[in-house]
Amino acid sequence: MGIVEKIKEIEEEMARTQKNKATEYHLGLLKAKLARYRAQLLEPTTKSGGAGTGFDVQKSGDARVALIGFPSVGKSTLLSKITHTASESAAYEFTTLTAIPGVIEYKGARIQLLDLPGIVEGASQGRGRGRQVVSTAKTADLILIMLDATKSEEQKKLLEIELDAVGIRLNKSKPDVVFKKKTTGGITLNTTVKLTKTDEKTIRTILAGYKLHNCDIMIREDITTDEFIDVLIGNRKYLPCLYVYNKIDAISLEQVDKLARQPNTVVVSCELDLNLDYLVDRIWEELRLVKVYTKKRGAHPDLADPICLRKGATIEVFGRKLPLWSGLGKLRILYACGMGAHNTVQGKSSKFSPYAQKVSLNHQVQDEDVVSIFTK
């Protein structure tokens, strides 16, 4: 029996099993097996035969956004409109057969946008080019799920199921669980909160299913059985996601209003260029990037070419982005100061803004800081 057949068999057994207190241990074991088989299914197979068409694209720019959706929802048109990159589009399905990269230039940042081939139901089990699509999506910093506003909400659920099956968790944070393997000593399980969605017996059953008999576990939030399995597997990706509903020009204003009020949702019309600027603004917000400017001694800040970093980045992370960082062995003093006088710019990390403040390498920069690096 192949892996796909085993997965189908487990899914059917889970569907038949009633969910209650008496069966939760059995269901936990089935979920653990299912996760293991799905991970095996997505492992790359051995190379054989001649060379094929390349799929993945080298990561570039300050962040990567993956554009995912069913065929003919307007992904290629969106890429062409907001990146000025030509991506073939037509009225028939599967126009895009490989990953097409484009670049969004916004506030001095360069954001790579990947138009991925349309997903079909069963992509997580390898149908179509599903494996390549989802493996490329895992390298992104943000997922854009593009949907057809004229179709039912079922399309959204199907895409979420496919991405969840391959270990991509949308708009979720990593479970606050510490898991450490040992060679001896048995299982030590500690919790700092009351577990209401799973229990110790289920957790120990799952550990036995993975043949883990010596480990330390600290659970610091009320997790589910699925979240605990994610911790054990360890290769899950927790990514922010925006749901982009296209073709709003073909539905009523009441329907548009209802869609727009859903969380993490943007409504657009690629055909009529409606709301595309707002979509780019939301992409920037979800990526949580900050712009940091450089300043030489006695000169004005270089506002034309900012360095983009993740929120929470430190001066050391900023410095490593500079071409001369490797030669700054005698680094001694670093300054971070806010942009401009009269408190006209937000996001200043200097306590003496608009004047400079001496800071250490672990000082966190904020949006539109100006940083000067001096060597002794």
Side-chain angles (χ1 to χ4, degrees):
M1 185 184 291
I3 295 178
V4 174
E5 289 76 17
K6 289 179 180 178
I7 289 174
K8 188 176 179 181
E9 189 178 85
I10 293 173
E11 288 175 338
E12 289 173 351
E13 185 175 352
M14 289 174 65
R16 290 194 305 267
T17 305
Q18 281 189 327
K19 291 184 174 123
N20 53 50
K21 194 73 176 174
T23 61
E24 63 182 16
Y25 314 118
H26 178 61
L27 284 171
L29 194 57
L30 289 176
K31 287 177 179 179
K33 286 182 180 178
L34 185 61
R36 191 161 62 245
Y37 284 138
R38 281 175 172 167
Q40 291 175 16
L41 188 67
L42 291 169
E43 287 176 359
T45 55
T46 54
K47 294 182 180 178
S48 60
T53 305
F55 187 90
D56 198 7
V57 178
Q58 182 177 356
K59 199 168 184 177
S60 64
D62 301 301
R64 169 179 276 192
V65 178
L67 190 54
I68 292 176
F70 287 119
S72 296
V73 292
K75 301 189 303 299
S76 299
T77 305
L78 178 65
L79 179 81
S80 302
K81 291 289 179 73
I82 66 176
T83 68
H84 307 295
T85 298
S87 181
E88 186 180 354
S89 59
Y92 52 86
E93 296 185 346
F94 299 107
T95 313
T96 302
L97 299 176
T98 187
I100 309 294
V103 176
I104 303 172
E105 296 191 3
Y106 184 78
K107 294 187 177 182
R110 291 175 59 84
I111 302 168
Q112 185 183 53
L113 179 64
L114 282 186
D115 176 18
L116 299 176
I119 281 185
V120 294
E121 192 174 352
S124 59
Q125 297 179 8
R127 285 192 62 198
R129 303 199 72 175
R131 294 187 193 181
Q132 294 105 316
V133 170
V134 294
S135 63
T136 303
K138 280 188 172 184
T139 67
D141 303 296
L142 171 67
I143 301 288
L144 288 189
I145 289 185
M146 197 152 188
L147 304 163
D148 190 333
T150 64
K151 295 183 179 178
S152 70
E153 283 293 288
E154 189 68 19
Q155 55 178 334
K156 179 179 177 181
K157 294 176 183 176
L158 289 172
L159 285 169
E160 289 175 336
I161 289 170
E162 294 297 335
L163 293 175
D164 190 77
V166 296
I168 296 177
R169 304 292 180 254
L170 301 177
N171 297 324
K172 294 180 181 178
S173 56
K174 190 175 181 180
D176 191 2
V177 177
V178 179
F179 170 73
K180 189 181 295 184
K181 289 184 182 180
K182 301 186 298 185
T183 54
T184 58
I187 297 172
T188 303
L189 177 61
N190 294 299
T191 61
T192 60
V193 295
K194 184 179 179 180
L195 299 179
T196 62
K197 303 168 187 175
T198 187
D199 56 32
E200 183 174 340
K201 185 177 178 182
T202 303
I203 289 172
R204 291 183 180 274
T205 301
I206 294 169
L207 289 171
Y210 276 89
K211 298 181 180 179
L212 293 168
H213 306 293
N214 300 285
C215 57
D216 288 331
I217 301 168
M218 171 65 75
I219 301 176
R220 297 185 286 209
E221 70 171 287
D222 188 12
I223 59 170
T224 64
T225 301
D226 292 318
E227 287 172 333
F228 181 71
I229 293 171
D230 286 348
V231 172
L232 291 186
I233 294 176
N235 62 353
R236 301 318 196 200
K237 290 286 289 186
Y238 298 85
L239 297 174
C241 173
L242 278 178
Y243 300 96
V244 182
Y245 284 88
N246 187 27
K247 306 180 185 180
I248 59 170
D249 52 299
I251 60 176
S252 67
L253 285 175
E254 290 79 6
Q255 290 175 297
V256 172
D257 183 66
K258 183 180 178 181
L259 290 175
R261 292 180 184 277
Q262 293 180 8
N264 306 306
T265 298
V266 180
V267 292
V268 302
S269 171
C270 295
E271 190 69 28
L272 301 181
D273 292 350
L274 295 177
N275 221 26
L276 297 184
D277 290 339
Y278 175 68
L279 172 60
V280 175
D281 290 338
R282 285 294 303 274
I283 289 172
W284 173 262
E285 289 176 17
E286 294 296 328
L287 287 172
R288 296 175 57 82
L289 295 174
V290 296
K291 304 181 301 298
V292 182
Y293 302 100
T294 57
K295 181 181 179 300
K296 294 181 180 179
R297 190 194 302 267
H300 291 292
D302 182 7
L303 304 181
D305 188 21
I307 292 176
C308 292
L309 307 167
R310 298 282 170 200
K311 280 188 180 178
T314 63
I315 292 290
E316 183 174 5
V317 173
F318 163 80
R320 293 188 184 280
K321 292 275 187 178
L322 300 178
L324 298 178
W325 174 263
S326 59
L328 300 179
K330 296 181 180 178
L331 183 68
R332 290 293 180 272
I333 305 171
L334 300 100
Y335 288 90
C337 65
M339 276 287 304
H342 311 298
N343 298 318
T344 55
V345 179
Q346 300 297 315
K348 302 178 293 292
S349 63
S350 170
K351 290 190 292 187
F352 315 118
S353 179
Y355 302 106
Q357 174 201 354
K358 284 186 182 181
V359 295
S360 63
L361 287 174
N362 59 8
H363 175 83
Q364 289 188 2
V365 294
Q366 295 184 27
D367 192 31
E368 298 197 343
D369 276 357
V370 177
V371 176
S372 298
I373 294 181
F374 300 97
T375 55
K376 202 167 183 179

